[in-house]
Amino acid sequence: MDYESFFGFKEKPFSTSPDERFYYDSPQHSKALQKIFHGIENRLGLSLVVADIGMGKTTMARRMLNMLASDNSYEVSLLVIIHPDISAGWFLKKISLQLGVENKGNDREKIISGLYEKLQEYHDQNKKVVALIDEGNMLRGKDTMEEIRGLLNIETQSQHLLNFVLFGLPEMEVNLKQDEALYQRTAIRTTLKPLGLESVKAYISHRIKVAGGESLPFTGDSLELIHRYSGGKPRMINIICENAILEGFIEKKKEIDSKIMQIVLEDFALLESK
């Protein structure tokens, strides 16, 4: 028997993979989405979602991708930056291809011309164009910042034809300031902060429900410990909960109490052994 069957789950509720199905719309996440959608809806150009490691930026990016892609009034792409050594040329070509521009080779002028034509085509169709950039803190080159600023210059008299939403660590803003003119174009900025105790409880309950669970195996004391030692960061909550459930399964206990939590917290050196 695996622990899913033991606890009555249909799947693992606390995977750290960014599965949009498990997205929890906390009050602060809901507020952040409202701000970003305001920027997109009004074609304001550049929006930033800033948060520390493990705060759910990637899950939010995928949530937005699915929401926008399901609406024909938007043309949306998601670009995940996996390393900091990308060139401005690579970035421009990747964005163009994702937005449906035919391969124009490596000629920058042809790529920009093709992108402008495509953006104008979307504008004529009354479509709002959005480029979601995950791990935006990996964009470090000044040339890339200048390229983004140049793309934001593609606009009508009152609206941007291309909207960027950058998700990244706080250092993302330091990188953007390499091009002060770009940073000053930030129209919307929102910060994701750690979850409070009640949101942590609701977050855990939500994930268990999505996974098919009918009851919460954690006691009140254990939930308080999860909040305290996770720092309210979703990724760390998932890691602690995953190991607590595994520990409960191994000990054949369906109630995750403070004793089980102490074992897990000691294993992760979050709590000193007694």
Side-chain angles (χ1 to χ4, degrees):
M1 178 185 288
D2 53 28
Y3 83 51
E4 294 99 298
S5 300
F6 182 77
F7 283 100
F9 306 147
K10 294 179 181 178
E11 57 185 307
K12 289 181 171 60
F14 296 106
S15 169
T16 54
S17 298
D19 188 336
E20 192 267 338
R21 292 177 304 133
F22 286 90
Y23 174 81
Y24 170 62
D25 196 30
S26 74
Q28 67 153 335
H29 283 75
S30 177
K31 185 177 180 179
L33 282 176
Q34 288 180 51
K35 288 183 176 182
I36 299 302
F37 272 102
H38 172 81
I40 294 170
E41 194 66 26
N42 291 281
R43 297 180 170 97
L44 298 183
L46 179 61
S47 300
L48 306 180
V49 179
V50 181
D52 204 351
I53 294 171
M55 286 300 303
K57 298 181 295 297
T58 295
T59 304
M60 176 176 277
R62 281 160 175 72
R63 171 72 167 180
M64 287 196 68
L65 176 66
N66 289 340
M67 291 173 72
L68 293 169
S70 65
D71 188 330
N72 289 331
S73 63
Y74 299 98
E75 185 66 32
V76 60
S77 70
L78 172 63
L79 177 59
V80 181
I81 309 299
I82 60 174
H83 63 80
D85 298 322
I86 67 168
S87 67
W90 180 91
F91 179 82
L92 174 61
K93 188 172 182 179
K94 193 72 175 178
I95 289 292
S96 298
L97 290 172
Q98 285 194 335
L99 292 176
V101 179
E102 293 182 8
N103 194 335
K104 301 289 183 179
N106 295 314
D107 187 303
R108 182 175 180 276
E109 290 186 7
K110 288 183 178 179
I111 295 173
I112 291 177
S113 176
L115 180 57
Y116 177 80
E117 290 176 5
K118 181 59 71 172
L119 291 175
Q120 190 62 57
E121 179 185 322
Y122 289 137
H123 179 71
D124 292 343
Q125 296 170 2
N126 201 29
K127 283 192 172 186
K128 304 170 189 71
V129 183
V130 188
L132 306 173
I133 311 294
D134 192 18
E135 299 294 349
N137 48 283
M138 290 285 190
L139 296 173
R140 298 180 183 177
K142 187 175 181 180
D143 289 348
T144 303
M145 302 305 160
E146 291 175 351
E147 198 69 79
I148 294 174
R149 177 161 53 88
L151 294 174
L152 287 171
N153 284 335
I154 303 176
E155 55 189 334
T156 65
Q157 199 168 24
S158 60
Q159 297 176 324
H160 293 274
L161 296 186
L162 175 57
N163 297 276
F164 283 102
V165 182
L166 272 59
F167 301 80
L169 300 173
E171 66 191 64
M172 175 174 66
E173 292 187 284
V174 176
N175 298 334
L176 288 172
K177 287 178 181 178
Q178 293 179 85
D179 188 322
E180 189 63 32
L182 170 62
Y183 185 70
Q184 289 182 9
R185 294 188 181 206
T186 303
I188 300 291
R189 182 191 182 281
T190 186
T191 304
L192 298 181
K193 297 179 180 179
L195 302 177
L197 176 58
E198 293 307 312
S199 286
V200 168
K201 292 178 181 178
Y203 172 86
I204 292 171
S205 179
H206 169 75
R207 292 191 70 103
I208 286 176
K209 184 177 180 180
V210 173
E214 296 182 357
S215 61
L216 195 66
F218 299 95
T219 64
D221 287 347
S222 64
L223 289 168
E224 291 180 4
L225 289 170
I226 292 167
H227 170 249
R228 184 190 311 169
Y229 289 98
S230 69
K233 295 181 177 181
R235 185 183 300 166
M236 199 64 201
I237 295 171
N238 289 355
I239 291 171
I240 292 174
C241 287
E242 168 73 15
N243 282 271
I245 288 173
L246 177 60
E247 190 71 32
F249 170 66
I250 291 171
E251 295 193 13
K252 297 297 181 284
K253 293 182 178 179
K254 291 191 175 183
E255 183 178 80
I256 308 298
D257 57 18
S258 58
K259 291 181 180 179
I260 290 178
M261 290 306 309
Q262 182 171 333
I263 294 171
V264 172
L265 294 172
E266 288 175 358
D267 285 344
F268 278 88
L270 296 171
L271 190 66
E272 290 186 5
S273 301
K274 291 185 178 180

